[in-house]
Amino acid sequence: IGRSFTDFVHPHDHYMFASHITNVLAAPKASNVQNINPVSSLFCRIRRYRGLDNGFDIKDKTMNHMPFYLKLSFKNINVEEKKNTYLVIQATPFFSAYKTRKETITKATPFVMRHIASGILEYVDPDGVPYLGYLPQDVTNKDALSLYHPEDLPYLSQVYEILVKDGTVPRCKPYRMLAQNGDYIKLETKWSCFINPWSKKLEFVIGKHHVVEGPDNPNIFQSPDPEKAVELTEEEKNNIKSLKENMIKTMNKVVVTKPVEEAKQQMTKRCEDLATIMENLMEEQPKLDDELRLDLQDPDHSYYERDSVILGGISPHHDFNDSKSSTETPLS
């Protein structure tokens, strides 16, 4: 108590946390700030209390941060007839989905990741945080292909070729994806994509991931151990680079594929249906006024009510004070 909340926010999240508050304050709602009204939410790491058990050993300088989902809102509190506005933060912690090393997962919550044809991630499902350890801002705008295990790239290259050709791939064989702590998890993925029917190019790839095996270190939020990093030879690096480039080429080539043809057929059918409707409208000339005149017994009906019934006589030239609809003008 008495400390600034930002002192406990991870340095990498400082800017995002501040910008969320600034955006809210810079564009307040017309109704101003009412009681507790959630106005913004974000993912953020908060420093954990190390406790007094550690003593004052200067060697222990490690700071542990825990990921949270924050809801930010404003609350007005009257103190001595003076209204003060407070920022209220509701913090929900994330915990690792794993308890033991190499844990077999049978009922994992699936999560979605979406990347564009260049491999850059556009969207990461928050449900993936307990399984991968990344917060969405950690991997958004990063290369999705760099998360795949190098030894699984040949298989995934085949998956992407089928995906571009057929538009979808059923749940594939298990492969490995890099987690935040430097270890790999095994998952199975149902793939889908969107191919622009006009340009015949892939716009984005969506993967619905199902984790089947946890990492070697179950603490998914722990910082990566530099000593566990695998040193690759130049030949291995070049091979990985070549495989990634081929996957990107596969996603960017122009091909006449099944999803493109289906999309074009759907669009053609819609255009034909619309053309048929418009032709019928233009061919149906308005009927004569005698045929449309309604015998309205109720004298209280207004001109507007009466004319709203005579659909065949709709005309932009209808005079304001005229009790009948003009039928000389064709339908607009």
Side-chain angles (χ1 to χ4, degrees):
I1 294 176
R3 297 278 299 276
S4 170
F5 181 76
T6 53
D7 290 346
F8 300 92
V9 174
H10 193 285
H12 290 168
D13 299 329
H14 269 182
Y15 174 78
M16 189 175 62
F17 179 78
S19 65
H20 268 70
I21 298 173
T22 305
N23 290 338
V24 171
L25 291 175
K29 293 186 176 180
S31 58
N32 208 336
V33 183
Q34 299 178 356
N35 242 355
I36 296 185
N37 178 29
V39 290
S40 188
S41 61
L42 72 153
F43 298 90
C44 184
R45 283 156 290 211
I46 302 174
R47 181 155 61 87
R48 297 185 66 168
Y49 178 58
R50 285 180 288 183
L52 298 176
D53 297 338
N54 296 334
F56 299 96
D57 187 358
I58 59 172
K59 291 181 182 178
D60 186 19
K61 292 279 187 180
T62 308
M63 277 192 185
N64 291 321
H65 290 79
M66 191 170 177
F68 283 84
Y69 176 65
L70 304 185
K71 280 187 178 179
L72 310 181
S73 58
F74 290 97
K75 185 176 183 181
N76 288 335
I77 298 177
N78 293 319
V79 180
E80 297 178 356
E81 298 184 355
K82 183 180 179 182
K83 184 182 288 186
N84 293 322
T85 301
Y86 288 85
L87 173 65
V88 179
I89 302 173
Q90 180 184 332
T92 306
F94 281 105
F95 298 100
S96 174
Y98 314 108
K99 301 290 187 295
T100 59
R101 65 181 299 273
K102 299 288 186 182
E103 181 181 354
T104 301
I105 309 296
T106 55
K107 294 183 179 179
T109 302
F111 60 92
V112 172
M113 298 173 73
R114 183 179 73 236
H115 68 75
I116 57 177
S118 62
I120 300 301
L121 280 163
E122 276 190 332
Y123 172 77
V124 180
D125 194 340
D127 286 337
V129 173
Y131 294 100
L132 284 171
Y134 302 109
L135 298 187
Q137 63 261 31
D138 296 336
V139 286
T140 303
N141 297 322
K142 301 289 173 55
D143 181 18
L145 306 186
S146 64
L147 297 176
Y148 303 149
H149 194 287
E151 294 177 5
D152 295 329
L153 286 175
Y155 168 65
L156 289 169
S157 295
Q158 298 174 8
V159 170
Y160 273 60
E161 286 179 8
I162 298 171
L163 177 63
V164 172
K165 181 182 177 183
D166 295 341
T168 59
V169 175
R171 193 157 163 169
C172 66
K173 293 191 299 184
Y175 66 97
R176 289 161 288 183
M177 183 178 282
L178 184 66
Q180 192 276 149
N181 64 357
D183 289 339
Y184 284 89
I185 62 171
K186 276 187 182 178
L187 38 77
E188 297 172 356
T189 301
K190 291 172 69 176
W191 303 91
S192 61
C193 69
F194 172 73
I195 297 178
N196 190 315
W198 287 274
S199 66
K200 298 179 183 178
K201 282 192 173 184
L202 182 143
E203 295 280 341
F204 53 81
V205 171
I206 298 174
K208 188 176 183 180
H209 305 295
H210 302 257
V211 177
V212 294
E213 184 180 282
D216 193 48
N217 177 10
N219 186 359
I220 208 75
F221 299 113
Q222 188 173 314
S223 299
D225 186 356
E227 296 180 1
K228 291 178 69 175
V230 179
E231 288 292 331
L232 300 172
T233 64
E234 282 300 316
E235 184 180 351
E236 289 173 329
K237 289 179 182 177
N238 291 333
N239 187 37
I240 291 170
K241 182 181 178 184
S242 176
L243 285 166
K244 288 181 179 178
E245 288 175 350
N246 287 336
M247 291 174 75
I248 291 174
K249 282 181 183 176
T250 299
M251 289 188 283
N252 282 279
K253 64 183 178 183
V254 178
V255 287
V256 179
T257 61
K258 184 178 176 182
V260 168
E261 289 304 310
E262 287 178 352
K264 285 178 70 176
Q265 288 172 9
Q266 288 178 1
M267 289 301 298
T268 303
K269 181 70 167 61
R270 287 177 186 172
C271 290
E272 289 174 352
D273 291 344
L274 180 60
T276 302
I277 292 170
M278 295 307 297
E279 285 172 5
N280 291 337
L281 282 173
M282 298 306 294
E283 286 173 1
E284 290 180 5
Q285 292 296 325
K287 298 178 181 179
L288 294 176
D289 193 38
D290 290 342
E291 299 175 22
L292 294 170
R293 190 172 292 112
L294 302 180
D295 185 13
L296 300 177
Q297 302 298 328
D298 187 355
D300 294 332
H301 277 296
S302 68
Y303 296 151
Y304 296 120
E305 290 173 344
R306 187 185 313 162
D307 291 345
S308 67
V309 179
I310 309 176
L311 299 178
I314 292 175
S315 168
H317 307 294
H318 181 193
D319 187 39
F320 182 81
N321 293 316
D322 191 9
S323 63
K324 65 177 183 177
S325 295
S326 171
T327 57
E328 286 78 13
T329 308
L331 279 174
S332 170

